[in-house]
Amino acid sequence: MTIEKLYLVLKRFLASLFILFLIVTLVFVLIRISPGEPTQKYLSPKLSPELAKEVQKSYNLDEPIIVQYFGFIRNMFTGNFGISYEYRMPVLKVISQHLPVTLTLAFFSIIIQLLLGYFFALFSVKRKNTLTDKFLRRASVVMYVTPGSVLGLILIFIFSVHFDLFPSGGFHSYFYDELSFPGQIKDIAAHLILPLLTLSLPGAALFFNYFRDGIEEVLQKDFVLYLKANGFSNKVIFRKHVLPNVLKPVLSVAGIELGFLLSGTLVTEVIFSLPGMGRLMISSILSRDFPLVIACAFVSAMFIILANFIFDIIKVKIDRRIWREILR
Amino acid sequence: MMKPNKIKIWHFVLSIWTVIVIVRFTLLVKTAELMWYVFLLLFDDYDFLLSHLNFQMFDAGLSLLIMLMIPLLLSFSKIRNKYFNSGINFSKCFIVLLMYSFLLPSLITRVHPDLQKNISEIKLLHPFSIIYEIRLKSDGDSELKPIKEKFLTLKDEVILKEFIEGKIFVKNYTLEEHEYKINHNNKIILIPSDSIELIKSDIILFGTDEFGRDIFSRLIFGARISVFIGFMAVTISLILGLTLGYFASTGNPFISMTLNRLNDLFLSFPAIFLVILVLALFGNNLVSVIIVLGFSGWMSLYKIVSSEVAAIKQKDFFIASEKLGLNNYELLLKEILPVIMVPLTVNLVFQFSNVILVESALSFLGLGSGSQYPSWGAMIEKGQEYIYEAWWLIFIPGAVLVLTLLSFHNIAKEVNKFFNPKIT
């Protein structure tokens, strides 16, 4: 069984590699067939054509596309994505500067989403069909459909413009370096609260619905009644028998959600001017910084695949019977 | 038990129609007159007519036609019972209002979305503020034939204009010895009272933006763009998903495998990234936004179609009709489409709200359908700059956007429930 599991994991790994390769190829082709020349920006029309050729050569853009493509793939396998046109340093270094923000945001956001969804669902199920329950369900639908741009701006308006509680943008204050360590943590936390809320509330509403419907449905099943008749306490029934059943669909959604969070949450990062992957992606696309664009695409696709894989492993841990279907 | 709803959706449609007819009756009559003159000029002076025809003229004629068609359509009991006979609720009402503003924006609001009313005075006015419109006397001595003159005056009255010459909009004015003192473009100017035709007050329902443009009018015309983009993009993804899914289920294994891999590829990648990449590299305008959004939404439709068609092929009724000798085209149209229509409809409604959402995000990032069309996302983005002065720039378009998405979400759920009553 272990060998079969390993085989399936390996197969999935290879399939993921193939998909990553396809994505990089797709982005490469899209970039190269698009009109416009990235070196144009750095060239004055007064320069001689020979010099312009030289600049192109320094960017490796003078060769035919096929040669460029194979050179690029060869470099990629050695972990070299090239040098960013804009930042003038290795692409992976640029990405590693922007990654911490996105990783923090995604990590805390998925935890907040799951916890908020779970506890509100418990709260709501206990008061089934009361006014609170109905209100929570209505509010969760409204929350779920609210776009990030609207939600973020409303939060900024309430908490930073009106009450002046939290800063409206940036990752840390300009006097960050002078603060002591706890002060630094506090500073970053104050900056991250509003973006985290913006990212988490719609997802929390989604998880609330999944948890609530799931718990309600499973509690009506016959096996719960049987366990109750056999004298198991409600706590044990809920923890050992109800929750694993509810978690299955939640975890598949959580995998997708985490993937999207890790690949950079464009609108939120733009609103709160956070230096994360999403803003890096947009700015690199708009400034035609092609090595950076490809690397960003690669990294975000990798994260999506990875996030799905992590949550699949958790699912296997919870329900051991169905690992064949999940890992396939 | 829920009490069956007595008020049907067609009552609501008809009541909105009545309100529009009552409020805009003179305008409708003038539009009809204008159309009559267009008809007369068709025989009289074709070149003159051609130089004056534009999209807005066509739009005015079309809205008159739609206004005539609505009661006519509702009077057919077949149509009424099929589409407009469900009980009323908030989402459906909102969708009806949205459709009205999609079809007849120029009847709902009489202000051009790009009309800048005296920027120095009328910018960033809060909702429900009152302004004064001063109409100057004009000396209209033209030497056209009466029929053409009549045509031009009617056209002036019917069609919304981006720039109005003889009107000045002010917040307040003072009268000093037969001269009106007003502030126009940061200058105090005096207007003798005998050159003024009339002064009337006007209420600005939702306030104005930073260029002194009416937000209500921009919302109504923005609805038109949003719904148009939604319809077109969903149609493109529907056609793509249907054809690709059908091919994947009929064709040889090689095609189906390639398509499945392609589907995985698109699913394991945030679609918005690809959308932004393509729009930034190849330029963004209305057409490219529609095409890109259409192409980015085919995955879920493809999955549904290919799996459903594969399931249908095992069913007895399909095998029987195949043996009866129906050709591929008839099989698709008569046997497959009616069955897959159910999951497709639900998915399409979700897709539609998703397209509106992504379009607003794109306009927010500055990659939308361009600045020549008012767009909800772009309005919200502009509001971000003025968040300290003008809350209504964010809250009003944001509320409309949320209500639209909410209504489509609820409608999709209702459709799903209608087709699968077992789902709670």
Side-chain angles (χ1 to χ4, degrees):
Chain A
M1 200 165 98
T2 353
I3 293 169
E4 202 184 343
K5 247 184 209 173
L6 272 179
Y7 168 73
L8 281 178
V9 169
L10 194 73
K11 200 175 148 196
R12 193 163 153 163
F13 177 71
L14 288 178
S16 312
L17 273 190
F18 182 63
I19 282 181
L20 279 178
F21 171 77
L22 276 183
I23 285 172
V24 169
T25 310
L26 179 71
V27 174
F28 188 90
V29 169
L30 267 181
I31 283 173
R32 288 299 136 92
I33 59 170
S34 71
E37 197 29 50
T39 57
Q40 216 84 64
K41 203 163 53 173
Y42 308 103
L43 290 176
S44 158
K46 288 173 196 152
L47 284 180
S48 64
E50 289 85 44
L51 213 55
K53 268 267 160 7
E54 199 125 314
V55 175
Q56 272 200 357
K57 198 175 168 62
S58 78
Y59 281 80
N60 275 340
L61 288 173
D62 54 338
E63 289 158 358
I65 290 179
I66 296 288
V67 180
Q68 279 182 42
Y69 177 68
F70 281 114
F72 174 76
I73 293 293
R74 199 166 353 106
N75 282 338
M76 207 183 75
F77 273 109
T78 58
N80 173 17
F81 279 91
I83 289 172
S84 157
Y85 299 165
E86 223 22 44
Y87 294 82
R88 303 309 298 163
M89 54 178 166
V91 162
L92 286 181
K93 211 171 162 192
V94 178
I95 288 183
S96 68
Q97 281 172 0
H98 286 76
L99 212 51
V101 180
T102 301
L103 285 183
T104 347
L105 272 181
F107 179 69
F108 283 114
S109 176
I110 194 82
I111 288 178
I112 290 176
Q113 286 180 17
L114 284 170
L115 287 183
L116 266 187
Y118 176 64
F119 284 113
F120 271 105
L122 277 190
F123 185 80
S124 179
V125 164
K126 271 182 196 156
R127 291 159 186 73
K128 207 167 119 186
N129 290 336
T130 58
L131 212 63
T132 338
D133 180 32
K134 276 176 193 159
F135 171 75
L136 273 177
R137 293 176 76 175
R138 287 277 159 79
S140 77
V141 176
V142 176
M143 211 77 257
Y144 170 63
V145 297
T146 307
S149 53
V150 177
L151 186 61
L153 287 177
I154 288 176
L155 284 176
I156 287 183
F157 181 78
I158 294 172
F159 289 107
S160 12
V161 176
H162 218 256
F163 292 119
D164 202 10
L165 285 175
F166 304 113
S168 65
F171 188 53
H172 47 63
S173 314
Y174 61 91
F175 47 80
Y176 175 76
D177 291 332
E178 300 157 18
L179 292 168
S180 59
F181 183 67
Q184 286 183 345
I185 298 275
K186 211 175 137 192
D187 188 48
I188 289 185
H191 278 87
L192 283 189
I193 283 181
L194 290 186
L196 273 180
L197 277 181
T198 311
L199 279 181
S200 310
L201 284 179
L206 181 69
F207 287 125
F208 166 81
N209 271 328
Y210 270 97
F211 271 121
R212 202 205 159 283
D213 295 347
I215 292 173
E216 199 189 341
E217 200 189 314
V218 176
L219 278 180
Q220 286 169 353
K221 289 263 167 70
D222 289 343
F223 74 87
V224 176
L225 196 68
Y226 173 78
L227 287 170
K228 260 186 196 165
N230 274 331
F232 282 91
S233 73
N234 274 343
K235 232 178 200 173
V236 172
I237 294 176
F238 190 78
R239 224 181 272 155
K240 288 223 158 151
H241 300 278
V242 175
L243 211 52
N245 279 309
V246 177
L247 274 178
K248 225 187 295 167
V250 170
L251 286 177
S252 355
V253 180
I256 297 169
E257 184 78 27
L258 183 63
F260 276 104
L261 287 173
L262 282 172
S263 69
T265 44
L266 305 174
V267 175
T268 312
E269 279 170 17
V270 170
I271 291 175
F272 291 98
S273 51
L274 295 168
M277 285 293 288
R279 257 182 77 198
L280 182 69
M281 245 184 233
I282 291 191
S283 68
S284 66
I285 290 174
L286 291 181
S287 64
R288 302 193 170 229
D289 191 347
F290 292 151
L292 199 53
V293 173
I294 296 175
C296 279
F298 180 82
V299 170
S300 59
M302 196 176 72
F303 272 130
I304 289 183
I305 292 169
L306 203 68
N308 276 321
F309 186 68
I310 290 171
F311 275 93
D312 278 354
I313 298 249
I314 299 178
K315 260 198 291 188
V316 171
K317 272 264 174 276
I318 286 173
D319 192 345
R320 296 208 177 100
R321 291 166 305 175
I322 52 166
W323 57 271
R324 263 196 201 86
E325 295 164 37
I326 292 173
L327 285 180
R328 196 157 19 131
Chain B
M1 276 299 285
M2 280 258 290
K3 209 170 58 185
N5 214 330
K6 279 277 167 55
I7 304 175
K8 306 290 186 200
I9 199 89
W10 67 271
H11 292 126
F12 186 71
V13 174
L14 211 59
S15 61
I16 297 287
W17 180 85
T18 323
V19 169
I20 292 181
V21 166
I22 291 169
V23 175
R24 304 285 181 215
F25 186 71
T26 45
L27 181 73
L28 283 171
V29 172
K30 273 176 188 161
T31 315
E33 235 176 306
L34 181 68
M35 290 305 129
W36 172 245
Y37 277 104
V38 167
F39 182 69
L40 284 184
L41 277 172
L42 204 60
F43 302 105
D44 201 43
D45 196 343
Y46 186 68
D47 293 331
F48 175 79
L49 178 66
L50 214 60
S51 66
H52 281 276
L53 272 184
N54 53 14
F55 174 72
Q56 285 177 320
M57 286 272 276
F58 177 71
D59 190 32
L62 203 65
S63 42
L64 180 70
L65 195 70
I66 290 168
M67 284 305 276
L68 292 176
M69 285 300 281
I70 286 172
L72 214 68
L73 277 179
L74 286 179
S75 63
F76 289 113
S77 62
K78 210 173 175 184
I79 294 173
R80 197 175 66 212
N81 288 339
K82 196 167 181 192
Y83 298 107
F84 297 103
N85 213 21
S86 58
I88 202 164
N89 61 19
F90 179 77
S91 315
K92 285 176 198 162
C93 287
F94 194 82
I95 300 283
V96 168
L97 286 178
L98 199 70
M99 284 304 137
Y100 264 112
S101 40
F102 170 65
L103 291 171
L104 321 155
S106 55
L107 289 181
I108 295 172
T109 170
R110 290 305 296 159
V111 185
H112 193 280
D114 288 333
L115 172 66
Q116 303 184 347
K117 307 171 169 176
N118 188 2
I119 297 179
S120 58
E121 278 269 293
I122 314 288
K123 73 172 178 196
L124 297 177
L125 286 185
H126 58 81
F128 299 109
S129 51
I130 289 180
I131 62 167
Y132 296 97
E133 175 191 326
I134 299 175
R135 200 174 296 166
L136 303 175
K137 275 179 189 161
S138 59
D139 38 331
D141 282 341
S142 53
E143 290 155 19
L144 289 164
K145 270 163 66 183
I147 178 166
K148 284 182 191 171
E149 198 178 322
K150 189 87 180 148
F151 170 78
L152 286 181
T153 43
L154 274 173
K155 192 188 158 203
D156 267 8
E157 279 165 17
V158 167
I159 281 173
L160 302 176
K161 275 182 294 184
E162 230 173 299
F163 176 73
I164 304 174
E165 216 169 315
K167 281 183 191 171
I168 300 172
F169 296 90
V170 288
K171 260 194 296 199
N172 43 35
Y173 60 90
T174 45
L175 178 62
E176 285 172 8
E177 294 184 1
H178 306 295
E179 284 193 326
Y180 285 94
K181 199 174 169 185
I182 58 163
N183 181 359
H184 185 59
N185 288 344
N186 288 328
K187 279 178 291 188
I188 306 285
I189 57 170
L190 298 167
I191 302 175
S193 58
D194 52 351
S195 72
I196 286 176
E197 195 180 322
L198 73 105
I199 296 179
K200 71 173 193 185
S201 62
D202 213 348
I203 188 164
I204 295 191
L205 202 57
F206 286 164
T208 53
D209 67 358
E210 76 278 13
F211 294 126
R213 297 177 295 196
D214 191 45
I215 288 189
F216 178 68
S217 152
R218 287 182 76 70
L219 277 178
I220 298 291
F221 278 90
R224 177 171 244 189
I225 293 298
S226 286
V227 173
F228 178 70
I229 289 178
F231 269 133
M232 296 315 275
V234 164
T235 314
I236 290 177
S237 2
L238 176 66
I239 293 169
L240 257 183
L242 264 183
T243 38
L244 289 182
Y246 190 64
F247 270 125
S249 56
T250 47
N252 54 20
F254 176 72
I255 291 177
S256 74
M257 208 194 74
T258 322
L259 283 172
N260 278 331
R261 282 277 146 253
L262 211 63
N263 199 29
D264 285 351
L265 170 73
F266 274 93
L267 280 179
S268 68
F269 196 66
I272 181 121
F273 177 68
L274 220 56
V275 168
I276 288 174
L277 184 69
V278 173
L279 287 181
L281 291 180
F282 295 89
N284 56 318
N285 53 40
L286 190 62
V287 179
S288 69
V289 166
I290 288 172
I291 290 174
V292 170
L293 286 181
F295 270 78
S296 71
W298 63 276
M299 287 91 76
S300 53
L301 288 167
Y302 165 80
K303 261 207 162 136
I304 290 172
V305 172
S306 61
S307 62
E308 287 278 327
V309 171
I312 289 170
K313 292 218 160 144
Q314 311 289 324
K315 297 263 168 71
D316 291 342
F317 74 89
F318 186 84
I319 297 168
S321 46
E322 212 174 13
K323 290 277 187 293
L324 279 173
L326 296 184
N327 59 25
N328 268 339
Y329 179 70
E330 280 171 327
L331 280 176
L332 175 67
L333 220 60
K334 292 200 174 137
E335 307 297 330
I336 294 175
L337 265 185
V339 181
I340 59 175
M341 218 49 221
V342 178
L344 270 188
T345 322
V346 179
N347 194 283
L348 282 181
V349 181
F350 276 121
Q351 197 98 45
F352 190 86
S353 77
N354 194 32
V355 168
I356 289 180
L357 176 68
V358 175
E359 194 267 333
S360 82
L362 282 179
S363 328
F364 186 82
L365 297 172
L367 288 168
S369 48
S371 54
Q372 70 263 45
Y373 306 105
S375 145
W376 294 344
M379 286 167 82
I380 296 170
E381 195 247 334
K382 262 280 166 297
Q384 197 184 0
E385 282 173 34
Y386 294 89
I387 194 164
Y388 287 95
E389 297 108 309
W391 55 268
W392 54 94
L393 288 190
I394 301 167
F395 275 71
I396 291 172
V400 172
L401 186 57
V402 171
L403 283 178
T404 310
L405 295 174
L406 186 67
S407 306
F408 276 109
H409 188 87
N410 286 345
I411 294 277
K413 263 192 190 163
E414 242 168 70
V415 172
N416 199 9
K417 216 179 205 171
F418 179 73
F419 285 126
N420 311 311
K422 273 181 236 159
I423 296 172
T424 50

